Amino acid sequence: QVQLVESGGGLVQPGGSLRLSCAASGSIFRIYDMGWYRQAPGKQRELVAFITSGGSTNYADSVKGRFTISRDYANNTVYLQMNSLKPEDTAVYYCNSGPQVRLGVPGNYWGQGTQVTVSS
């Protein structure tokens, strides 16, 4: 079993920043896509950003220019830097790992979820 351990999240004012971290166990980290999903109350879980094993990235239109996904192979960690946060970014954010996250297919491995709340 691959374990994904998240950290970060919290309460931030509009325009603020947060950095989410997801530490992955096992060597599978190097060959799997890594993604960040989010789910707001009453809405479907959506893919926010992903990064492939080769380092290619993509973002949902709603976060382009504000969020940056990266991965640190030395520490088996994926990050989501979130800048210029908006109230509509409020959601539970989940780290995910799998071979086809880049295709919109969630992997079998999920973090526990971390709450991000953007509010004055």
Side-chain angles (χ1 to χ4, degrees):
Q1 289 289 318
V2 173
Q3 292 183 325
L4 303 176
V5 181
E6 298 179 343
S7 61
L11 175 64
V12 65
Q13 294 185 346
S17 298
L18 287 172
R19 189 193 197 195
L20 307 182
S21 300
C22 176
S25 65
S27 61
I28 202 71
F29 175 84
R30 292 185 173 272
I31 63 173
Y32 271 10
D33 301 337
M34 299 291 295
W36 286 97
Y37 290 76
R38 70 184 181 187
Q39 187 167 23
K43 296 185 178 180
Q44 297 293 317
R45 188 172 298 187
E46 65 173 341
L47 179 61
V48 176
F50 68 79
I51 184 166
T52 70
S53 60
S56 298
T57 61
N58 203 0
Y59 302 89
D61 288 342
S62 59
V63 306
K64 283 182 178 178
R66 299 187 297 117
F67 290 11
T68 302
I69 188 170
S70 62
R71 63 196 302 168
D72 183 342
Y73 289 100
N75 293 311
N76 288 354
T77 302
V78 63
Y79 303 96
L80 186 67
Q81 178 66 46
M82 304 184 294
N83 299 326
S84 301
L85 283 162
K86 304 175 180 179
E88 47 265 46
D89 295 318
T90 296
V92 179
Y93 285 71
Y94 300 90
C95 179
N96 179 254
S97 178
Q100 295 181 308
V101 174
R102 69 189 184 281
L103 303 178
V105 180
N108 291 330
Y109 305 107
W110 293 92
Q112 77 280 4
T114 184
Q115 177 70 49
V116 172
T117 302
V118 185
S119 176
S120 299

